[in-house]
Amino acid sequence: MDSKMSSTQYFKTVPETKVEVGQVMKEVYKALSEKGYNPVNQIVGYIMSGDPTYITSYKNARSLIMKVERDELIEEALTYYINNRLR
């Protein structure tokens, strides 16, 4: 038997870096605006339905927003609103 086949091989994986929710929202908002979409309507559509086609693939915005859970997007927006509008 080949020596490569008889020994255990180890693979090192690079852990995915933690995505900053606020930064994701900022970049997605910018990409949607640049493409001429209403960013608020598109992001709300995505959050409500879970359908990623609400978000443009321009500037990798769709892939980026899918790295964040939808409830995290709501939490970020609500926290920002409370901290900046209600205090």
Side-chain angles (χ1 to χ4, degrees):
M1 190 179 263
D2 189 348
S3 64
K4 290 182 182 177
M5 296 299 288
S6 63
S7 61
T8 302
Q9 295 183 11
Y10 295 96
F11 296 95
K12 290 186 178 182
T13 59
V14 177
E16 196 168 311
T17 58
K18 179 70 176 150
V19 178
E20 178 67 37
V21 179
Q23 187 63 31
V24 167
M25 290 183 79
K26 183 178 181 178
E27 291 180 34
V28 169
Y29 185 95
K30 183 177 178 184
L32 288 164
S33 294
E34 287 178 10
K35 289 301 281 184
Y37 296 108
N38 179 321
V40 173
N41 288 347
Q42 297 304 113
I43 293 169
V44 168
Y46 169 69
I47 290 171
M48 296 296 291
S49 70
D51 183 356
T53 60
Y54 275 96
I55 308 301
T56 182
S57 59
Y58 177 68
K59 290 192 172 180
N60 211 29
R62 186 177 299 153
S63 296
L64 189 58
I65 203 166
M66 290 173 59
K67 291 181 180 181
V68 178
E69 295 293 329
R70 290 182 296 152
D71 63 323
E72 290 179 289
L73 295 170
I74 295 169
E75 184 179 337
E76 180 75 15
L78 188 56
T79 300
Y80 181 85
Y81 181 83
I82 290 169
N83 289 337
N84 292 286
R85 295 292 191 131
L86 301 180
R87 290 187 177 184

